[in-house]
Amino acid sequence: MRPTTKDLAEAAGVSLATVDRVLNDRANVSKKTYRLVNEAIEKIGFFKNPAAVNLARNKTYRFRFVLPTAGDQYLQELLQRVEEAKDALQSDLTAVEAVRIPIGDPHSVAKYLSAIDANTMDGVAIMAPESPQVRDAMARLLERGIKVVQFLSGQEKLENTDFVGIDNFAAGATAGKIIGRFLRGEAGRIMVVAETMMAQDSIERRLGFDSIINSQFPHLKSLPSLETYGDEKRARTIIQRTLENNVDITAAYVLSAEARVPIAAIGQNGDLARLTVVVHERTPFTEDALRKEQIDAIIAQDPGHAVRSALRIMRARTDLREPLASQEKIRIEVLLKENL
């Protein structure tokens, strides 16, 4: 059995109250007492269990998801999964909430993050595009003792944070392989549609996609990425112009999480049945489009798994434990009409 605080007090020759003051770094403890207790910790192999301490003190873990205000069906899926987790974890002394903010302006995102108080929040899962301002704001959260999870979209070179989401380079490469194989040697151009190429996940997916198309399918040419910025009117305009100016388009890859608007625009200005179409994320729209054979494949990541993983990681970091890496790996799912 693990040594208890009572065992530690006996080994150090001090009271239980003194052990509590040392373990929780309270005032009015002499250097000699600190030394005696720490020597006893090494001697008997005492391990402090923050989770047990929090339970004894009836402490509530406080976790927040910071998500975009702009979004479509996949964002709603995420919000539903957060709400499910909130209800499920109430009895486990864990408070979960979701806050939606505009993420287009990195200065605004950084300002919001800088206002989060470590006295009222233990961990934050953040879904925001890559930018120096957001990255620095996340670093300052860590300095204030708030655990940070980069949720589905990460920031480069940000140490001491965890990332929850699929391997986006591999996801893009998977899309490239599917399109290349489905076209069976047919030459043509590929239209690539993104909400924004500022997002790290979009950049990685595009790099993975190009790595496969360029190396394995030289008869195909990927066009520059079209950025919709989540605007339906803009999406219709740029997709219409691209289809009109490139009559040899044989495939479309929608690499953003929200596919409804781009696919609708393609359908209004072209023949979806003639194109090989690959999109990301399973939503009511993409499921229906797959069944109707308007698209050929969905590359998905389970939103429920992503939300639960972020919460488990924040809980583990708050308890000074290492998360279980194998449990938190979000896998790439390839969905066809036949395996829905």
Side-chain angles (χ1 to χ4, degrees):
M1 294 179 64
R2 286 180 175 175
T4 64
T5 51
K6 182 179 179 181
D7 298 326
L8 181 58
E10 290 178 357
V14 298
S15 68
L16 276 171
T18 299
V19 166
D20 180 75
R21 287 199 296 274
V22 172
L23 292 178
N24 294 286
D25 201 23
R26 304 190 195 283
N28 303 320
V29 180
S30 68
K31 291 183 178 179
K32 179 181 178 181
T33 301
Y34 264 112
R35 179 176 56 80
L36 287 172
V37 173
N38 284 313
E39 287 176 354
I41 287 173
E42 292 292 330
K43 180 179 178 181
I44 70 173
F46 176 82
F47 174 76
K48 181 180 176 182
N49 188 340
V53 173
N54 290 334
L55 182 62
R57 294 178 178 174
N58 206 32
K59 170 185 164 59
T60 297
Y61 297 86
R62 302 151 302 177
F63 302 131
R64 177 181 298 171
F65 287 82
V66 178
L67 303 174
T69 51
D72 197 6
Q73 292 186 352
Y74 188 64
L75 180 60
Q76 291 304 315
E77 292 282 331
L78 291 173
L79 289 167
Q80 288 176 21
R81 302 293 89 77
V82 172
E83 194 64 26
E84 288 174 358
K86 175 183 177 180
D87 294 339
L89 295 175
Q90 280 182 345
S91 61
D92 196 27
L93 297 177
T94 303
V96 181
E97 64 183 27
V99 173
R100 298 174 66 181
I101 65 171
I103 62 169
D105 179 4
H107 295 281
S108 177
V109 177
K111 182 178 180 180
Y112 173 83
L113 296 179
S114 68
I116 297 176
D117 187 353
N119 293 317
T120 61
M121 195 60 52
D122 297 303
V124 181
I126 305 165
M127 184 178 178
E130 157 77 10
S131 73
Q133 294 84 5
V134 175
R135 188 168 60 248
D136 291 345
M138 288 183 180
R140 289 193 292 272
L141 282 174
L142 292 167
E143 291 172 359
R144 300 200 299 276
I146 299 173
K147 312 308 175 187
V148 175
V149 169
Q150 300 178 71
F151 189 62
L152 305 184
S153 184
Q155 307 286 318
E156 278 193 317
K157 301 177 183 177
L158 184 58
E159 297 180 357
N160 301 318
T161 63
D162 295 282
F163 172 74
V164 167
I166 56 175
D167 180 332
N168 284 299
F169 185 92
T174 301
K177 177 72 79 171
I178 292 171
I179 286 177
R181 289 293 189 183
F182 275 28
L183 288 175
R184 293 181 175 274
E186 179 184 351
R189 296 175 185 265
I190 304 170
M191 179 168 56
V192 181
V193 185
E195 185 169 321
T196 173
M197 289 307 294
M198 287 178 59
Q200 186 67 22
D201 56 335
S202 295
I203 295 170
E204 291 173 353
R205 288 175 186 179
R206 179 73 209 232
L207 289 172
F209 183 77
D210 286 344
S211 72
I212 296 297
I213 295 298
N214 295 339
S215 64
Q216 299 184 21
F217 306 103
H219 56 284
L220 298 174
K221 178 178 176 57
S222 300
L223 296 172
S225 301
L226 303 178
E227 295 179 282
T228 68
Y229 302 123
D231 184 292
E232 289 196 40
K233 184 177 180 181
R234 174 184 170 84
R236 287 196 301 268
T237 300
I238 60 177
I239 288 173
Q240 179 183 1
R241 289 175 180 172
T242 301
L243 289 169
E244 289 174 350
N245 295 327
N246 298 273
V247 295
D248 58 344
I249 288 178
T250 55
Y253 172 38
V254 181
L255 57 77
S256 57
E258 305 286 5
R260 183 183 64 84
V261 170
I263 295 302
I266 294 171
Q268 290 169 2
N269 297 283
D271 183 5
L272 282 169
R274 186 181 64 81
L275 302 177
T276 295
V277 182
V278 175
V279 305
H280 279 269
E281 309 313 350
R282 182 174 190 164
T283 66
F285 174 83
T286 56
E287 280 191 25
D288 185 59
L290 194 57
R291 289 191 173 96
K292 292 177 178 177
E293 298 188 346
Q294 295 172 333
I295 63 176
D296 296 281
I298 302 170
I299 299 173
Q301 54 186 324
D302 185 339
H305 187 181
V307 168
R308 293 189 297 273
S309 179
L311 289 168
R312 284 193 297 263
I313 289 172
M314 289 189 284
R315 175 74 176 257
R317 295 300 186 196
T318 302
D319 289 341
L320 306 180
R321 295 183 289 107
E322 279 294 317
L324 184 59
S326 60
Q327 184 181 27
E328 311 313 343
K329 182 177 176 62
I330 309 297
R331 302 193 180 279
I332 297 171
E333 300 176 0
V334 178
L335 303 176
L336 308 175
K337 178 183 178 181
E338 290 72 22
N339 67 2
L340 269 179

